[in-house]
């Protein structure tokens, strides 16, 4: 009976998983560069802000979020932060891209 159960689980998992070659096809159809996907994701994750996490993933995420990110303060000795920080976005912009663009422009001349 146990052998039959194990065989059933193996068969179900083998037929439930999509073929390995389907992901690049789906990604290409969606306009995603499959060759550089991993580097894009890793860069984005390490640049997350608490506002991004709250917008895209969890609206009540706390400042103690355990998502390490690169410290945007280049003058600091601490290169990596233990938690994604609040960036201080201007909430009058309606899209995350415009909030990020504004943040860059506001801080580009900071010495």
């Amino acid at each position: 009976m146990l052998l039959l159960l194990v065989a059933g689980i193996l068969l179900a998992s083998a037929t439930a998983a999509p073929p390995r070659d389907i992901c690049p096809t789906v990604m290409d159809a969606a306009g995603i560069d499959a060759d550089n996907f991993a580097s894009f994701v890793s860069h984005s994750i390490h640049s997350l802000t608490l506002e991004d996490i709250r917008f895209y993933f969890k609206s009540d995420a706390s400042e103690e979020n355990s998502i390490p990110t690169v410290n945007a303060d280049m003058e600091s000795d601490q290169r990596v932060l233990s938690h994604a920080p609040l960036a201080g976005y201007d909430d009058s912009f309606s899209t995350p891209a415009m909030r990020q663009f504004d943040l860059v422009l506001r801080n580009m001349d900071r010495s």
Side-chain angles (χ1 to χ4, degrees):
M1 183 66 175
L2 182 60
L3 183 58
L4 185 58
L5 179 62
V6 170
I9 291 172
L10 290 175
L11 180 62
S13 64
T15 58
R20 287 187 172 266
D21 61 345
I22 198 167
C23 287
T25 303
V26 170
M27 291 172 78
D28 187 49
I32 299 170
D33 180 0
D35 294 330
N36 295 306
F37 183 71
S39 63
F40 292 152
V41 170
S42 63
H43 173 74
S44 297
I45 287 173
H46 290 95
S47 301
L48 277 175
T49 65
L50 183 52
E51 289 94 339
D52 295 330
I53 296 166
R54 287 175 177 168
F55 184 84
Y56 290 107
F57 303 105
K58 188 176 180 189
S59 61
D60 64 344
S62 73
E63 291 189 41
E64 298 286 320
N65 51 61
S66 300
I67 299 175
T69 60
V70 174
N71 190 350
D73 181 359
M74 293 297 150
E75 294 179 356
S76 173
D77 289 334
Q78 184 181 10
R79 298 291 181 216
V80 177
L81 303 173
S82 299
H83 307 282
L86 277 169
Y89 289 149
D90 181 345
D91 291 330
S92 65
F93 292 100
S94 60
T95 66
M98 291 306 294
R99 288 187 281 255
Q100 181 65 35
F101 185 60
D102 173 64
L103 188 67
V104 169
L105 291 179
R106 281 190 286 135
N107 292 300
M108 67 186 235
D109 292 328
R110 205 175 80 178
S111 39

